[in-house]
Amino acid sequence: MVEPELIRLISEHPCYDESAHRKFARMHLPVAPRCNIQCNYCNRKYDCSNESRPGVTSEVLTPIEASDKVGAVLERIPELKVIGIAGPGDPLANEATYETIELISKNYPDLTLCVSTNGLALPGNAKRLYDLGVRFLTITMNALDPEIGARIYGSVIQDNKVLKGVDAARILISKQLKGLEECVDLGMVVKINVVMVPGVNVDHIPTLVRKVKEMGAYTVNILPLIPVEGTPFEDYDAPTPEMRKSLMDSCGELGIKVMRHCKQCRADAIGLLGNDRSSEFACGSCRSAEVRPILLGDMRDAVAIATDDGANVNRGFGNTSSFSIFSLSDGHMIDKVDVDTNRSVVGTGHKEHINSIITSLRSPKYVAVSEIGSYPFKLLDGLGIKVIVTDATIDKVIEGIRSGRF
Ligand code: CLF
Ligand code: SF4
């Protein structure tokens, strides 16, 4: 049973109510780079295939940066109603997701919060999300049968162990079902996304849909597989529109609402569905953004080094006045910029200072420092950034990354 206040929120949610999607906008905050599973259709270089269009890379924002960006977007898109966190990895595998939600709830209490997850970390965390104000939750479930799941999921990380095959799929599916049960018990409005993989799960999807309907899911969204280069499914066929329509029709006959207007958005999508305006809000136009030097190469292959002599790692994370960021390709340096972290001080408190430094670094793959406190370490770890504590020369750090020592 959906509560009256939720009925109003549904009527203003562009994904949950088809008639809302031409009037109301959503904004995705790409604060969650890490994932706790590996789907066979996902290439981590790109956005999450569950909620994005693969092949489109997205920036990763810190919680403070994300919150500031919401303010900038609201000024230009007043029809913004929903803030979604949908990647680029799994939101619940990233502590930054919770920090972001807390900030958005505090700073923009009128916006609706929406999260999309693979469900592995949902049991136990559903209540945490609910208490932070999340009422809309999507779980991507591709199978009920672990044998079928084993063909879709390459691995699952559980209790710091990497599991594969049927055992991995069995654990993931049981967590998804438990998470769904917890969300429904809390009164959340749950959408189930299903990736339709011809030859693998198509005939099985109605069984899955019947089950989630019985458990209280509000709607299902059947997404076509997009065969992404570099993934185990790169040579698989995507379903034809006719195949997908036929499956949607038969699932609709099971008595559950079927979403038919999904746009498979990017993890940083902004605007009305089907009219993405995220490029207008690239960080340079964001209200809070400083002008940052442009670095050749991908930040996800970069290392930020705390140094004051340009040759050695000789400064701590919180007390360095600058970082040198080296962009690497196959472990070789292709570009370098210096970032002044004194300039990034936005408040007098230690936490504000640390947060602003992290924002300035623009999510590199590694940070190398001579020392670091537990607060910045936890934040960097939550962003999937590997911390190297060393007093080695910069050349040695780059060599260590190239050789896989770090
Ligand atoms: Fe984003 Fe997803 Fe929330 Fe919508 S998207 S987290 S429920 S606010 Fe919407 Fe985009 Fe389809 Fe997702 S159109 S991919 S269903
Ligand atoms: Fe990729 Fe999303 Fe699957 Fe994680 S859950 S592997 S980010 S598609």
Side-chain angles (χ1 to χ4, degrees):
M1 182 61 108
V2 179
E3 290 173 17
E5 172 60 3
L6 278 181
I7 292 173
R8 181 185 68 79
L9 295 178
I10 290 170
S11 72
E12 296 177 348
H13 193 308
C15 305
Y16 281 69
D17 184 333
E18 185 161 8
S19 62
H21 89 273
R22 289 196 180 82
K23 286 184 276 182
F24 300 113
R26 56 81 184 90
M27 173 181 183
H28 282 173
L29 300 179
V31 295
R34 286 203 306 195
C35 193
N36 44 13
I37 69 173
Q38 179 62 60
C39 301
N40 282 339
Y41 46 73
C42 175
N43 184 334
R44 298 282 175 80
K45 285 188 180 160
Y46 304 122
D47 293 346
C48 174
S49 301
N50 297 334
E51 294 281 352
S52 65
R53 190 171 54 246
V56 181
T57 56
S58 52
E59 59 184 351
V60 174
L61 302 177
T62 63
I64 288 179
E65 195 171 12
S67 175
D68 283 350
K69 193 165 179 177
V70 170
V73 170
L74 264 176
E75 281 173 10
R76 280 157 58 188
I77 308 185
E79 61 272 31
L80 177 64
K81 288 284 180 192
V82 175
I83 296 297
I85 301 187
D90 187 72
L92 305 191
N94 296 268
E95 192 59 26
T97 295
Y98 300 98
E99 291 169 22
T100 304
I101 291 169
E102 204 171 342
L103 273 178
I104 302 297
S105 286
K106 194 173 79 181
N107 296 341
Y108 310 99
D110 294 336
L111 294 176
T112 296
L113 294 161
C114 188
V115 170
S116 174
T117 173
N118 61 43
L120 180 67
L122 194 50
N125 283 318
K127 177 77 165 67
R128 189 175 175 197
L129 291 170
Y130 183 88
D131 288 345
L132 288 170
V134 177
R135 294 292 178 271
F136 291 85
L137 191 117
T138 295
I139 312 173
T140 298
M141 295 181 67
N142 301 321
L144 267 190
D145 179 344
E147 301 275 348
I148 296 174
R151 297 174 61 194
I152 299 174
Y153 305 112
S155 61
V156 166
I157 300 174
Q158 182 67 11
D159 300 329
N160 294 321
K161 289 195 197 87
V162 180
L163 308 173
K164 291 179 184 279
V166 176
D167 289 345
R170 184 175 291 114
I171 285 184
L172 175 61
I173 292 164
S174 72
K175 299 279 184 187
Q176 290 170 331
L177 293 172
K178 180 82 177 70
L180 168 59
E181 185 184 24
E182 288 181 13
C183 290
V184 170
D185 285 351
L186 286 162
M188 293 163 99
V189 194
V190 182
K191 172 162 68 63
I192 304 296
N193 278 6
V194 188
V195 180
M196 182 181 178
V197 187
V200 178
N201 69 346
V202 174
D203 296 340
H204 178 59
I205 289 175
T207 308
L208 168 66
V209 170
R210 194 175 291 111
K211 173 74 176 172
V212 298
K213 182 205 173 259
E214 280 167 17
M215 291 182 68
Y218 177 80
T219 181
V220 291
N221 176 23
I222 298 169
L223 300 138
L225 169 75
I226 302 177
V228 176
E229 201 184 322
T231 69
F233 284 175
E234 67 177 346
D235 294 326
Y236 281 50
D237 289 328
T240 62
E242 292 73 24
M243 284 167 70
R244 184 161 163 245
K245 179 178 181 309
S246 160
L247 183 61
M248 286 182 183
D249 289 346
S250 38
C251 289
E253 284 165 15
L254 298 172
I256 190 165
K257 189 175 159 70
V258 177
M259 180 180 184
R260 292 176 188 262
H261 61 290
C262 176
K263 301 291 184 242
Q264 290 182 273
C265 328
R266 305 157 52 109
D268 58 357
I270 297 172
L272 300 176
L273 300 189
N275 180 22
D276 185 45
R277 293 177 59 182
S278 55
S279 59
E280 288 175 40
F281 298 94
C283 249
S285 55
C286 171
R287 195 172 51 172
S288 72
E290 312 157 21
V291 176
R292 298 188 179 100
I294 292 168
L295 189 67
L296 289 176
D298 190 333
M299 280 308 290
R300 286 169 298 185
D301 290 322
V303 54
I305 296 183
T307 179
D308 64 5
D309 64 3
N312 299 287
V313 185
N314 61 1
R315 302 293 297 168
F317 187 87
N319 62 21
T320 186
S321 57
S322 73
F323 273 85
S324 292
I325 306 182
F326 295 85
S327 174
L328 308 178
S329 177
D330 289 332
H332 295 276
M333 206 253 280
I334 55 171
D335 197 12
K336 175 194 163 227
V337 294
D338 294 321
V339 172
D340 178 353
T341 43
N342 270 339
R343 192 156 46 93
S344 65
V345 179
V346 292
T348 51
H350 174 66
K351 289 190 173 177
E352 285 87 348
H353 179 56
I354 295 298
N355 273 300
S356 69
I357 292 175
I358 292 175
T359 299
S360 303
L361 297 184
R362 314 290 304 138
S363 298
K365 186 169 182 182
Y366 304 92
V367 162
V369 288
S370 62
E371 58 181 0
I372 186 167
S374 60
Y375 178 70
F377 183 89
K378 234 175 103 188
L379 284 182
L380 292 169
D381 190 49
L383 288 167
I385 298 170
K386 189 165 172 37
V387 177
I388 299 167
V389 180
T390 179
D391 55 4
T393 63
I394 290 175
D395 286 349
K396 281 229 155 60
V397 170
I398 292 176
E399 168 53 30
I401 290 171
R402 180 164 52 229
S403 65
R405 196 152 42 85
F406 295 121

